[in-house]
Amino acid sequence: ICFKNTSESFTVIVSMLEIYNENVYDLLSDEQGIKLKVQQSETEGTVIPNLKETVCYSVDDVTSLINIGTKNRSVGKTDSNEHSSRSHLVVQVKVKGINKIENKRTFGKLTLVDLAGSERLSRSNAKPGIRLKETQHINKSLSALSDVMNSLGANSNKSTSNHQHIPYRNSVLTYLLKD
């Protein structure tokens, strides 16, 4: 995956996290269960300090990381689904490049998301406790994502001066996807 020649080099960096009950957890970290914070960086956009990022040299490296992260993901049984993912899964692939002759740097980020499915409380039979709380957080974040997408769509048909507010901060998911 890493490309090198005499004038240019590129590095591919992969991270994997979940958003569980509106909290961010690193799925590749040796220490599971530590809450992380989403922040904004002037140079890289949305960042998560202390999120484990791994340089990948091959597709096999990426596959191995995805297998590790998938094993650490929060899942649980509901009446709707026996192996229900209880979190949103996010895989980020960053590519950093440098042109050594022109001393120019490039940066790109691809964010892939596996959204937890929404559930009707009545169908999932979620009782007060963990599953109910999970279902409420999943539904809230999916609703916030819908609000952001609707606002972006509405703004695409307006002049720059008439843009409405985009509610990115209404959930961790939408704030993470802001850029």
Side-chain angles (χ1 to χ4, degrees), residues 126-151:
K127 306 283 187 265
I130 294 172
R131 294 291 174 258
L132 177 62
K133 183 177 175 186
E134 290 169 344
T135 301
Q136 290 170 331
H137 282 288
I138 290 167
N139 291 345
K140 177 187 173 210
S141 64
L142 291 174
S143 178
L145 180 61
S146 176
D147 291 345
V148 166
M149 293 173 73
N150 287 331
S151 295

Side-chain angles (χ1 to χ4, degrees), residues 57-169:
Y57 299 95
S58 69
V59 174
D60 288 341
D61 289 350
V62 176
T63 301
S64 176
L65 290 176
I66 290 173
N67 288 336
I68 291 167
T70 300
K71 289 177 186 171
N72 292 327
R73 189 172 184 191
S74 298
V75 294
K77 181 179 178 180
T78 69
D79 284 359
S80 300
N81 186 345
E82 188 171 327
H83 300 287
S84 178
S85 58
R86 308 311 298 160
S87 64
H88 303 302
L89 175 75
V90 179
V91 176
Q92 289 189 329
V93 180
K94 295 178 182 179
V95 179
K96 294 182 179 183
I98 185 165
N99 181 314
K100 297 171 190 168
I101 294 172
E102 299 177 19
N103 198 28
K104 289 187 178 176
R105 296 181 184 275
T106 57
F107 176 80
K109 178 169 50 173
L110 173 66
T111 302
L112 305 167
V113 182
D114 177 18
L115 296 170
S118 67
E119 295 181 350
R120 292 193 183 274
L121 290 174
S122 60
R123 286 193 189 154
S124 68
N125 231 357
K127 306 283 187 265
I130 294 172
R131 294 291 174 258
L132 177 62
K133 183 177 175 186
E134 290 169 344
T135 301
Q136 290 170 331
H137 282 288
I138 290 167
N139 291 345
K140 177 187 173 210
S141 64
L142 291 174
S143 178
L145 180 61
S146 176
D147 291 345
V148 166
M149 293 173 73
N150 287 331
S151 295
L152 289 170
N155 283 348
S156 69
N157 298 324
K158 296 179 180 178
S159 68
T160 307
S161 62
N162 292 338
H163 278 189
Q164 69 183 45
H165 169 72
I166 309 295
Y168 290 112
R169 291 183 178 248

Side-chain angles (χ1 to χ4, degrees), residues 1-5 8-14 54-59 61-62 94-96:
I1 292 178
C2 290
F3 168 79
K4 292 183 181 179
N5 68 28
E8 295 178 307
S9 67
F10 295 92
T11 304
V12 175
I13 303 160
V14 175
T54 304
V55 175
C56 292
Y57 299 95
S58 69
V59 174
D61 289 350
V62 176
K94 295 178 182 179
V95 179
K96 294 182 179 183

